[in-house]
Amino acid sequence: MCTGKCSRFIAVTLYPLALISIICNIVLFFPGGDVKYAKDGHITEEVKYMGGLVGGGLMVLLPALYIHLTGKQGCCGNRCGMFLSIAFAAVGVAGALYSFIVAVLGLQHGPLCKVILFWVTPFKDSDPSYLTDNKGWGKCTEPKDIVQFNVSLFATLLANSSLQLVLCTVQMINGLFGCLCGACIDKGFVPL
């Protein structure tokens, strides 16, 4: 496969992944679809790090745009363009790693919720993981179903950032091949 076609494939795949990251992070600010928790500051700490918006979103979307443009120039773009795609893909790797780490921390610490009268993170230091013991999820009385809400969105961010990480790493390798080997130009039929 031509390095330019590979770049276009990677870029087109990164677009929806970046969009999913942005949407997940925005939705995490509104547990239960209510604005009052964001206004009152009762949001899980890892949501405020904006791993999905900044890391998996913008830091992946900008490289995807450049990688797509690199793939459109001729068959594969030029060597300089492919070299720059390595740097842009490295930015995407950094963004995906940031999103991945924030999602892992969000899953590990659990949500901020109201337990009896106080807003706490009840699962932060739990010995057995709260992810495998859903019986304890009922201790969070507000927002409604906050544990399921956080787990599903942070798990989506985790899977999403893993895919972004793999694709951006593949683009770094692809860009290296495009830089070293040059463009693959279709010369047509060459008579003997």
Side-chain angles (χ1 to χ4, degrees):
M1 177 187 280
C2 174
T3 56
K5 289 178 185 176
C6 184
S7 292
R8 283 194 307 272
F9 173 78
I10 289 170
V12 168
T13 308
L14 285 173
Y15 292 141
L17 293 176
L19 185 63
I20 289 168
S21 287
I22 291 169
I23 290 170
C24 283
N25 202 144
I26 291 172
V27 171
L28 276 165
F29 275 100
F30 308 106
D34 203 339
V35 181
K36 74 178 182 178
Y37 302 111
K39 283 183 181 177
D40 296 339
H42 299 304
I43 299 293
T44 303
E45 192 65 31
E46 289 77 18
V47 175
K48 297 174 190 174
Y49 298 159
M50 293 194 280
L53 185 65
V54 175
L58 297 177
M59 287 181 71
V60 170
L61 186 60
L62 293 175
L65 290 169
Y66 181 81
I67 292 166
H68 195 160
L69 291 174
T70 300
K72 282 192 170 192
Q73 296 174 359
C75 176
C76 301
N78 56 35
R79 289 176 188 234
C80 181
M82 291 307 275
F83 177 75
L84 288 175
S85 78
I86 297 170
F88 276 95
V91 171
V93 166
L97 270 174
Y98 178 66
S99 181
F100 182 86
I101 291 167
V102 170
V104 166
L105 289 174
L107 286 170
Q108 185 179 15
H109 295 161
L112 175 72
C113 63
K114 193 172 191 178
V115 178
I116 305 174
L117 298 173
F118 302 102
W119 287 91
V120 294
T121 309
F123 307 109
K124 190 170 188 172
D125 297 319
S126 60
D127 190 23
S129 176
Y130 76 98
L131 294 170
T132 57
D133 181 25
N134 61 358
K135 293 175 186 167
W137 293 2
K139 65 172 95 172
C140 286
T141 58
E142 191 180 346
K144 188 176 189 283
D145 298 326
I146 186 65
V147 179
Q148 295 91 323
F149 179 80
N150 268 28
V151 167
S152 62
L153 288 171
F154 276 123
T156 302
L157 281 172
L158 185 70
N160 202 38
S161 60
S162 298
L163 287 172
Q164 290 172 332
L165 188 61
V166 168
L167 288 170
C168 288
T169 302
V170 168
Q171 176 55 34
M172 289 177 71
I173 296 166
N174 180 52
L176 181 63
F177 279 118
C179 181
L180 295 176
C181 300
C184 58
I185 299 170
D186 184 18
K187 297 187 186 209
F189 176 73
V190 179
L192 295 172

